[in-house]
Amino acid sequence: MDYFNLSGQVAVITGGAGVLGSAIARRFSSAGSKIVILGHNEQNAENLAGEIAEAGGEAIGLPVDVLDLSLLRSARDRIMKRFGRVDILVNAAGGNKPGATVSPDLSFFDISPETLQDVISLNLMGTIYPTQVFGEIMADQKTGCVLNISSMTAFTPLTNVVAYSAAKAAVSNFTQWMSVHFAQRYGSGIRVNAIAPGFFLTSQNRYLLKDADGSFSERGQKIIERTPMARFGNPDDLVDAALFLCSEAARFITGVVLPVDGGFSAYAGV
């Protein structure tokens, strides 16, 4: 079990105050890591850092827009002044928008270029930019771990979520590319992997999976029927997979995209 101990390590989590990011932050803290929560909302990031500190961990919250390199670099300077290193980067910032989702009220042809660009930028460039900024520290250290967040839609595109599907497929590709680049240029001490969540109920996708009365939507019912475990995931289902990939237990694993999906990607439907 010592392989899963993160004591002394510094973990930077973008989107750290979100549903997935906050669950990872709490789990990594319980494994001994010092936590840096980077969030668009400063108060939410600071509140989570305070909660972790009250539970006996060490955490700070910093306001950051993952699409602003100057803010990312400023946060990096503050982190290095406080902790002197970065061992783990979790790129948990991301999400979709209703305006980039095909629906009975919105055809593919009417989705605005601005909304498409917003979703692609947040998920793809919001992963690449932090990896540039914090990966540079890892390159100097010759050690570190990057964990990206992909999706089931990166394996087989899901209907309606056109921009999100394209962006997450690109995140998976970037994960593989970056893993090779780091290993070949800076040594085997730096690893890059991703997790691909199946279907998790969040504030961002609840409108797609459940109707107003709480029953499954038509789309939600289809997903349940294609998931052998017959349920949606919750953030706790993901955090131990994330811990594994960022721990010494996964020291010879790089460039993988690990499905955490209740068997969805393994089931052909018959």
Side-chain angles (χ1 to χ4, degrees):
M1 293 302 295
D2 286 344
Y3 283 139
F4 297 94
N5 190 329
L6 302 182
S7 294
Q9 297 193 41
V10 177
V12 175
I13 305 172
T14 72
V19 174
L20 175 56
S22 61
I24 291 175
R26 294 184 183 97
R27 182 66 183 93
F28 282 23
S29 176
S30 71
S33 178
K34 301 171 184 177
I35 305 297
V36 179
I37 300 154
L38 301 185
H40 198 270
N41 185 300
E42 181 176 7
Q43 190 61 55
N44 289 345
E46 290 180 348
N47 287 345
L48 179 57
E51 176 189 325
I52 290 172
E54 288 178 3
E58 183 175 358
I60 61 172
L62 300 175
V64 166
D65 180 347
V66 292
L67 298 178
D68 189 324
L69 280 167
S70 64
L71 290 178
L72 284 165
R73 290 179 180 127
S74 176
R76 179 183 64 186
D77 291 344
R78 292 178 64 180
I79 293 164
M80 291 300 287
K81 185 176 180 179
R82 170 75 177 264
F83 296 114
R85 61 185 298 107
V86 171
D87 301 286
I88 297 168
L89 169 65
V90 180
N91 285 310
N96 193 25
K97 289 186 173 182
T101 303
V102 175
S103 69
D105 300 319
L106 182 65
S107 78
F108 164 72
F109 307 106
D110 294 324
I111 296 176
S112 73
E114 294 79 12
T115 307
L116 289 170
Q117 187 62 61
D118 284 348
V119 173
I120 291 172
S121 293
L122 175 60
N123 290 279
L124 178 57
M125 304 315 297
T127 297
I128 292 176
Y129 289 164
T131 305
Q132 283 185 310
V133 170
F134 296 103
E136 190 172 12
I137 296 173
M138 297 178 184
D140 289 339
Q141 295 172 169
K142 305 297 184 185
T143 183
C145 179
V146 178
L147 181 68
N148 298 326
I149 308 300
S150 183
S151 169
M152 283 296 99
T153 195
F155 292 92
T156 304
L158 304 175
T159 58
N160 301 334
V161 288
V162 52
Y164 187 77
S165 293
K168 288 303 188 181
V171 168
S172 290
N173 182 276
F174 173 68
T175 298
Q176 293 177 311
W177 185 90
M178 201 72 230
S179 69
V180 174
H181 180 74
F182 270 139
Q184 291 185 335
R185 289 288 186 93
Y186 305 106
S188 62
I190 306 175
R191 300 180 299 104
V192 185
N193 293 297
I195 53 176
F199 295 90
F200 289 70
L201 277 175
T202 69
S203 58
Q204 295 164 321
N205 69 7
R206 184 174 296 273
Y207 72 100
L208 289 172
L209 303 180
K210 285 201 168 185
D211 292 330
D213 62 3
S215 62
F216 293 138
S217 65
E218 181 182 357
R219 187 180 183 87
Q221 186 61 42
K222 287 181 179 178
I223 291 167
I224 291 297
E225 291 172 355
R226 286 290 306 275
T227 302
M229 289 189 174
R231 68 173 176 86
F232 294 121
N234 61 70
D236 288 341
D237 295 324
L238 287 171
V239 295
D240 286 331
L243 176 61
F244 164 67
L245 287 175
C246 292
S247 74
E248 184 66 13
R251 59 194 174 278
F252 197 54
I253 299 175
T254 195
V256 307
V257 180
L258 176 66
V260 186
D261 65 349
F264 181 91
S265 60
Y267 183 41
V270 294

